[in-house]
């Protein structure tokens, strides 16, 4: 069954019919699968680096583990915007990154395990059964960059390193599972790209395309209202640098840049803009330009977030980043969805 993108009756017809299966297929093959493959690759490299650190502790091996952690955060941040499909199964999303952690649940649990040298937390077979807050990137960041992390460069950090190796291995397993699930011929990718009356998830093309645009709509809301708003105040005196994601590793702005870069890559490779009417094609170009501008803003604010916020020029880049995400939310979430005749629906971040 061939399903074409559906448009509001009041809107002019697109220049040419665009198949939903083609748009979703390009999104899956051109972005989702490669991004999860990259995540698996970086997770494997980090797991290997942490094991090497445990086997031969030194400052050099600690630096290598931290470098690979940085690359892992970048890879995750690019694909975390796709918050549906296999990543939602078995609590994988929360297990990969439990954030925001407003009550510091994860921090307290990780600190307690380190203080007690809990053997089950350092057991690769048991870590997946632990609290989600102890299994993912937040826990690994604290192990590698939190208070006492310098002990990893010597044998004094043996337990801490074993705990880190278990967490890194768990992240690698999750990444492998999700990548494999997206690659299954009869898996979620096939469900998404083949909407129809017999499809229990996507009954028609507009539903499938709404999820594609929802990656941008919900992703922008996540970045602006949860990530940036959490630490960037109305003025410099109201900033809260220790509320920023990945602040210990200095990866806050890098993560934000990767979030928007992932959105741009997904939007561009899907070529969904080709389904817009001739008079509305400007929306696609504007979306790409603004996403690229947001990436540039975040990259210009790279580094330890407390130092970034203390620098007026770099802080201004984050202010502009926030404005860009607001503009994009209006463009994609209101104007583009209206042009397509789609209903964006309530945000998955609303808690409803």
């Amino acid at each position: 069954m061939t399903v074409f993108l559906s448009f509001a009756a009041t809107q002019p017809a697109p220049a040419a019919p665009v198949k939903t299966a083609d748009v979703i297929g390009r999104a899956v093959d051109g972005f989702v699968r490669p991004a999860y493959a990259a995540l698996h690759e970086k997770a494997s490299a980090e797991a290997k680096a942490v094991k090497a650190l445990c086997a031969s502790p030194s400052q050099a091996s600690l630096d290598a583990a931290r470098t690979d952690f940085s690359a892992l955060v970048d890879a995750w941040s690019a694909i975390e915007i796709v918050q549906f499909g296999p990543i939602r199964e078995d609590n994988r999303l929360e297990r990969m990154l439990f954030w925001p952690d407003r009550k510091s649940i994860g921090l307290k649990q990780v600190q307690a395990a380190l203080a007690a040298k809990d053997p089950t937390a350092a057991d690769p077979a048991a870590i997946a059964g632990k609290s989600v807050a102890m299994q993912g990137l937040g826990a690994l960041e604290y192990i590698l960059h939190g208070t006492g992390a310098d002990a990893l460069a010597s044998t004094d950090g043996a337990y801490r390193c074993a705990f880190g190796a278990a967490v890194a291995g768990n992240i690698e397993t999750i990444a492998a599972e999700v990548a494999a699930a997206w690659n299954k011929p009869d898996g979620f990718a096939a469900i998404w790209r083949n909407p129809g009356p017999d499809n229990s998830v996507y009954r028609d093309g507009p539903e499938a395309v709404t999820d594609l645009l929802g990656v941008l709509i919900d992703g922008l809301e996540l970045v602006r209202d949860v990530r940036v708003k959490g630490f960037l105040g109305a003025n410099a005196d109201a900033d809260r640098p220790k509320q920023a994601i990945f602040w210990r590793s200095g990866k806050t702005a890098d993560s934000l840049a990767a979030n928007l870069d992932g959105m741009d890559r997904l939007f561009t490779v899907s070529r969904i803009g080709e389904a817009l009417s001739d008079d509305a094609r400007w929306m696609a170009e504007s979306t790409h330009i603004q996403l690229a501008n947001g990436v540039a803003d975040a990259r210009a604010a790279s580094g330890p977030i407390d130092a970034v916020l203390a620098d007026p020029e770099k802080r201004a880049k984050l202010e502009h980043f926030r404005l860009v995400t607001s503009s994009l939310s209006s463009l994609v979430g209101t104007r583009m969805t209206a042009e397509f005749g789609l209903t964006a629906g309530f945000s998955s971040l609303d808690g409803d």
Side-chain angles (χ1 to χ4, degrees):
M1 176 181 177
T2 300
V3 182
F4 293 89
L5 294 184
S6 178
F7 301 88
T10 57
Q11 299 297 336
V18 176
K19 294 180 182 178
T20 296
D22 289 345
V23 171
I24 302 304
R26 288 190 292 263
V28 170
D29 295 336
F31 174 72
V32 177
R33 283 174 171 162
Y36 273 121
L39 175 64
H40 183 204
E41 177 188 349
K42 300 304 181 184
S44 296
E46 172 64 345
K48 182 178 180 180
V50 176
K51 286 181 181 178
L53 170 62
C54 298
S56 300
S58 68
Q59 188 59 51
S61 55
L62 174 55
D63 291 343
R66 287 172 170 172
T67 296
D68 282 334
F69 176 79
S70 176
L72 174 58
V73 168
D74 291 341
W76 165 249
S77 299
I79 190 57
E80 75 163 321
I81 56 170
V82 180
Q83 298 202 348
F84 59 89
I87 194 67
R88 282 288 183 185
E89 298 171 7
D90 299 325
N91 291 322
R92 290 180 181 130
L93 182 61
E94 293 77 15
R95 289 166 59 207
M96 183 66 79
L97 179 62
F98 182 74
W99 203 93
D101 185 4
R102 294 185 177 90
K103 297 182 180 179
S104 298
I105 294 172
L107 175 62
K108 293 173 183 176
Q109 291 177 344
V110 171
Q111 288 176 327
L114 288 170
K117 295 187 176 181
D118 177 4
T120 62
D123 182 351
I127 191 68
K130 290 285 187 179
S131 160
V132 296
M134 295 179 67
Q135 293 188 38
L137 292 168
L140 187 56
E141 182 192 34
Y142 186 83
I143 290 167
L144 292 174
H145 292 276
T147 302
D150 288 344
L152 290 168
S154 70
T155 55
D156 293 342
Y159 171 78
R160 187 181 190 116
C161 199
F163 183 8
V167 174
N170 185 64
I171 292 171
E172 180 184 15
T173 297
I174 296 171
E177 290 172 347
V178 178
W182 274 101
N183 283 326
K184 286 178 61 178
D186 59 346
F188 186 81
I191 294 172
W192 191 21
R193 74 200 303 171
N194 294 297
D198 297 327
N199 188 319
S200 61
V201 181
Y202 300 105
R203 304 291 290 180
D204 54 36
E207 287 188 358
V209 174
T210 294
D211 257 6
L212 175 59
L213 289 178
V215 172
L216 274 69
I217 296 167
D218 289 349
L220 289 164
E221 183 177 346
L222 169 70
V223 168
R224 182 186 64 252
D225 296 342
V226 180
R227 299 282 164 86
V228 176
K229 187 178 179 180
F231 71 87
L232 186 65
N235 53 62
D237 291 337
D239 290 341
R240 300 176 298 277
K242 290 188 177 181
Q243 295 299 312
I245 193 169
F246 298 126
W247 68 268
R248 290 183 176 88
S249 55
K251 292 293 293 181
T252 300
D254 292 343
S255 177
L256 297 174
N259 287 150
L260 260 63
D261 184 59
M263 294 180 207
D264 190 27
R265 287 159 53 195
L266 174 63
F267 183 79
T268 300
V269 78
S270 72
R271 288 163 35 201
I272 190 174
E274 293 178 5
L276 290 164
S277 67
D278 290 343
D279 291 341
R281 288 287 177 90
W282 65 269
M283 293 184 189
E285 182 64 19
S286 181
T287 297
H288 166 63
I289 291 172
Q290 292 191 57
L291 284 168
N293 287 341
V295 172
D297 285 333
R299 287 177 176 166
S302 182
I305 195 62
D306 53 348
V308 169
L309 293 173
D311 183 327
E313 290 187 9
K314 289 187 175 183
R315 189 182 185 281
K317 293 293 184 181
L318 291 175
E319 289 278 14
H320 189 255
F321 178 92
R322 181 161 55 186
L323 290 174
V324 167
T325 56
S326 294
S327 174
L328 280 164
S329 287
S330 175
L331 176 60
V332 179
T334 302
R335 302 189 67 169
M336 193 177 295
T337 53
E339 176 71 17
F340 282 142
L342 302 172
T343 301
F346 65 85
S347 168
S348 64
L349 302 176
D350 288 341
D352 293 340

